[in-house]
Amino acid sequence: DQQVKQNSPSLSVQEGRISILNCDYTNSMFDYFLWYKKYPAEGPTFLISISSIKDKNEDGRFTVFLNKSAKHLSLHIVPSQPGDSAVYFCAASAGTSYGKLTFGQGTILTVHP
Amino acid sequence: DGGITQSPKYLFRKEGQNVTLSCEQNLNHDAMYWYRQDPGQGLRLIYYSQIVNDFQKGDIAEGYSVSREKKESFPLTVTSAQKNPTAFYLCASRDPGGSSTDTQYFGPGTRLTVL
């Protein structure tokens, strides 16, 4: 039972345009959501997070949107840069879970110059 | 310069041998975690520890063991009972008392190949 799903295995975007990565979840107990960026053979790097009491959080070029009623979150990157090319994972935690994260399968983002 | 270190970067072992992966952090974080990543999949939780001398099984603990004798160290042993040990192993830590209490920070990973 996959509680966090990233249904798009890959996304290709032109440099300077917007990248939108999507994530759906099924567990209504999740109350904290995170996005990580990962290069091959390296550990994930934390990008941005959002608590369930908010519907938007912004940090520079990165914005995360949370739609609790649809159990959906998205990461917007604008403008996209070639250095953004990586695998992006969304993750979720529930307040009662001792910080355990449940990850989606990841989306490979390729930004073309 | 605070962070999480995992060694070695690449590890090769023969089938049937136990192997221990190292994870050290100097972030003064209480909580530590072990995940594995397989191609095309997300990270899956193996074991986690909220505090020294305490640890709990994650979603895929069979064939693995851990210890937490020191706050900064959380080694993972992959035993011969693990049926598919070849994978990329990631260690993470978290500060439960920090402002972003559920954010985990990851080490660079160890690629284990069992021949």
Side-chain angles (χ1 to χ4, degrees):
Chain A
D1 175 31
Q2 190 129 23
Q3 299 185 61
V4 178
K5 290 184 182 180
Q6 294 175 255
N7 292 316
S8 297
S10 63
L11 175 67
S12 183
V13 170
Q14 204 68 28
E15 181 179 6
R17 306 295 290 268
I18 186 171
S19 296
I20 301 176
L21 298 102
N22 294 303
C23 181
D24 298 296
Y25 63 96
T26 57
N27 188 342
S28 57
M29 298 300 291
F30 288 148
D31 58 5
Y32 191 71
F33 304 88
L34 309 91
W35 284 94
Y36 285 88
K37 174 182 179 180
K38 186 181 180 302
Y39 294 115
E42 293 185 12
T45 302
F46 169 70
L47 271 178
I48 192 168
S49 61
I50 187 167
S51 164
S52 61
I53 62 173
K54 295 185 175 182
D55 54 18
K56 177 182 174 182
N57 189 27
E58 193 171 349
D59 183 2
R61 296 187 298 116
F62 302 93
T63 303
V64 56
F65 295 92
L66 176 62
N67 183 334
K68 288 189 292 294
S69 60
K71 292 190 174 68
H72 177 84
L73 67 153
S74 61
L75 174 68
H76 292 209
I77 306 173
V78 57
S80 301
Q81 300 172 353
D84 295 329
S85 298
V87 180
Y88 288 78
F89 290 98
C90 68
S93 70
T96 57
S97 67
Y98 304 105
K100 291 189 295 179
L101 296 179
T102 301
F103 283 83
Q105 313 95 301
T107 296
I108 301 170
L109 173 66
T110 304
V111 180
H112 298 283
Chain B
D1 191 19
I4 303 173
T5 57
Q6 292 185 244
S7 60
K9 181 70 173 173
Y10 299 96
L11 191 54
F12 296 87
R13 278 294 182 269
K14 291 184 178 179
E15 195 172 341
Q17 290 181 335
N18 291 357
V19 59
T20 297
L21 282 59
S22 166
C23 177
E24 304 279 331
Q25 55 101 357
N26 60 5
L27 299 167
N28 201 35
H29 288 174
D30 283 312
M32 297 186 75
Y33 305 80
W34 273 106
Y35 296 86
R36 70 176 274 168
Q37 185 192 13
D38 295 283
Q41 295 193 36
L43 282 65
R44 292 184 291 165
L45 182 65
I46 304 172
Y47 265 98
Y48 64 103
S49 168
Q50 297 299 302
I51 199 167
V52 174
N53 292 322
D54 182 66
F55 49 83
Q56 307 293 331
K57 292 182 179 179
D59 300 320
I60 54 166
E62 186 176 350
Y64 299 97
S65 66
V66 293
S67 63
R68 186 84 188 278
E69 296 176 3
K70 297 185 296 183
K71 186 175 186 177
E72 59 269 23
S73 179
F74 190 38
L76 173 74
T77 297
V78 185
T79 76
S80 56
Q82 167 50 231
K83 291 183 172 50
N84 295 297
T86 293
F88 190 53
Y89 289 87
L90 288 156
C91 178
S93 71
R94 178 179 74 94
D95 177 13
S99 58
S100 300
T101 56
D102 283 358
T103 301
Q104 294 181 20
Y105 297 91
F106 286 82
T110 292
R111 175 72 188 175
L112 173 65
T113 302
V114 176
L115 306 170

